Amino acid sequence: MAGRSVVVGVGHYLPERVVPNSEFEKTLDTSDEWIKTRSGIERRHFAAEDETTSDLATNAAEAALADAGLTADDIDAIIVATSTADLTFPSAATMVQARLGMTKGFAFDVQAVCAGFVFALSNANALILSGQAKRVLVIGAETFSRIMDWTDRSTCVLFGDGAGALVLELQEGEGTSDDRGILATDLNSDGRYKDLLYVDGGVSTQSTGHLRMQGNQVFRHAVEKLTKTAETALGTAGLGNSDVDWIVPHQANIRIIQGTAKKMGLPMENVVVTVQDHGNTSAASIPLALSVGKQRGQIKQGDLIVTEAIGGGLAWGAVVLRW
Ligand code: UT7
């Protein structure tokens, strides 16, 4: 027998405003065709002016709790993966905690940029397996529209806002790879690559800053590192690539998603793809894809899923779980 962190609820929230690629043609030297061909993105959602990351996160959390048939009283901890919290402090997670009416337990943010949800899932799993929490709400929520340089066509057309959430619950498994729940995680970072993807401002430099990215350099790292981390996590779980029902990748670029699936020897029929509708929502992209994948009828109970993500840091990682 072994304790497992099992997904018992999933949900997401997307802001109302949908922005098609053609919007950018009005102000930038770009085209719907370029954006679609190079990234796979067709549209993205942008938060309203008065809508913040904790608003998005709370809506996604409520959807996940409803899906689980639970209330905030049933939750021991909240982790929000975000790089775009409402305030410098307190954490977005404590704001969500208050909004859900939860007065016990604990809440904190995890900041690993686009890999944030994978890092948050791994932390939640560790809390559950070490007996510090029985049920954890794990949320990825971002308002990257707030850190875009709208004059930089190489970045501002790529990102979007949104949130997704999972409820993880301690359940007993057999201790085999047939168990439901998180089966293995693999986390990595290498700070030498800071200049490839960063925000040129922050608290300690007294500004908010804008996202800066050497996209083609990040691209070069992505397929290789994502394949390796996914295969490492699968290996730790005692599984191989052919056991995977769904790759649920970070949704940054369709060419990275396709390249990784190909390198893993899996067809695109086994990949949940939402990048066309959401753009790159950083830490929100994986829980959004899990929630949409379930809604579409792609992800079913018992399916073996590998999630993988890479982003600023560089930070990257993967989680293998049985739904
Ligand atoms: O989520 C965090 C991790 N981030 C990622 O995974 C992003 C990884 N990178 C990418 O997705 C891709 O590198 C991009 C989509 C950002 C760019 O695609 P690319 O095929 O690597 O293009 P590139 O950066 O090499 O640029 C090719 C050309 C350049 O023009 P020149 O120098 O060849 O004349 C760019 O100036 O495309 C130009 N370009 C644009 N043209 C029209 C860059 N942005 C645009 C644009 N519209 N929006």
Side-chain angles (χ1 to χ4, degrees):
M1 297 294 278
R4 296 289 192 194
S5 308
V6 176
V7 178
V8 293
V10 60
H12 71 270
Y13 173 78
L14 288 158
E16 209 176 296
R17 185 176 164 217
V18 179
V19 177
N21 290 345
S22 54
E23 280 280 310
F24 295 100
E25 293 174 352
K26 297 176 191 163
T27 52
L28 292 168
D29 179 15
T30 189
S31 65
D32 174 44
E33 185 56 29
W34 190 95
I35 301 168
K36 257 196 316 223
T37 315
R38 296 294 178 120
S39 73
I41 298 164
E42 294 174 29
R43 59 193 73 80
R44 75 286 290 140
H45 293 247
F46 284 153
E49 250 172 66
D50 61 352
E51 210 172 23
T52 62
T53 293
S54 70
D55 294 330
L56 272 51
T58 303
N59 289 336
E62 283 171 346
L65 284 171
D67 186 50
L70 297 170
T71 69
D73 286 341
D74 301 313
I75 300 298
D76 303 313
I78 300 175
I79 306 178
V80 175
T82 189
S83 301
T84 49
D86 304 26
L87 301 176
T88 300
F89 72 75
S91 63
T94 53
M95 295 185 183
V96 173
Q97 183 189 26
R99 293 272 298 279
L100 294 177
M102 182 180 150
T103 52
K104 65 174 180 64
F106 57 96
F108 61 96
D109 290 356
V110 160
Q111 209 272 55
V113 204
C114 297
F117 195 75
V118 164
F119 277 62
L121 268 186
S122 181
N123 274 280
N125 185 46
L127 288 171
I128 289 173
L129 297 188
S130 64
Q132 295 176 78
K134 280 207 171 74
R135 286 205 194 93
V136 184
L137 194 47
V138 191
I139 307 166
E142 303 275 20
T143 47
F144 261 49
S145 62
R146 302 284 148 76
I147 50 168
M148 289 298 110
D149 173 352
W150 299 112
T151 66
D152 178 7
R153 68 177 184 171
S154 73
T155 54
C156 74
V157 302
L158 301 173
F159 293 87
D161 302 336
L166 297 184
V167 181
L168 290 180
E169 178 182 276
L170 175 67
Q171 292 184 8
E172 283 300 317
E174 298 295 325
T176 72
S177 58
D178 289 335
D179 289 347
R180 289 187 67 204
I182 293 179
L183 300 174
T185 68
D186 181 61
L187 303 182
N188 311 268
S189 58
D190 189 338
R192 287 176 300 173
Y193 297 114
K194 184 209 97 189
D195 291 346
L196 300 191
L197 177 49
Y198 65 101
V199 170
D200 60 0
V203 185
S204 195
T205 51
Q206 297 277 293
S207 60
T208 303
H210 294 110
L211 181 144
R212 307 293 174 201
M213 178 166 73
Q214 295 176 41
N216 49 12
Q217 297 299 318
V218 177
F219 198 113
R220 255 175 228 157
H221 287 277
V223 173
E224 193 201 319
K225 286 186 164 52
L226 291 172
T227 304
K228 183 149 186 274
T229 186
E231 292 180 344
T232 300
L234 283 163
T236 304
L239 295 163
N241 298 2
S242 59
D243 295 308
V244 173
D245 293 304
W246 296 105
I247 304 177
V248 183
H250 171 49
Q251 310 280 325
N253 187 315
I254 190 67
R255 292 184 294 139
I256 295 175
I257 294 171
Q258 288 164 339
T260 307
K262 191 171 172 204
K263 209 160 183 217
M264 290 180 70
L266 290 165
M268 285 303 288
E269 286 71 42
N270 292 88
V271 186
V272 176
V273 179
T274 57
V275 68
Q276 69 282 1
D277 296 326
H278 303 161
N280 182 346
T281 58
S282 184
S285 91
I286 287 174
L288 265 166
L290 287 168
S291 183
V292 169
K294 187 193 168 199
Q295 256 181 9
R296 285 180 188 155
Q298 292 177 303
I299 298 173
K300 297 190 189 66
Q301 191 167 316
D303 283 354
L304 187 81
I305 294 173
V306 60
T307 64
E308 30 85 342
I310 186 166
L314 294 175
W316 68 102
V319 173
V320 174
L321 67 122
R322 194 173 294 286
W323 194 256

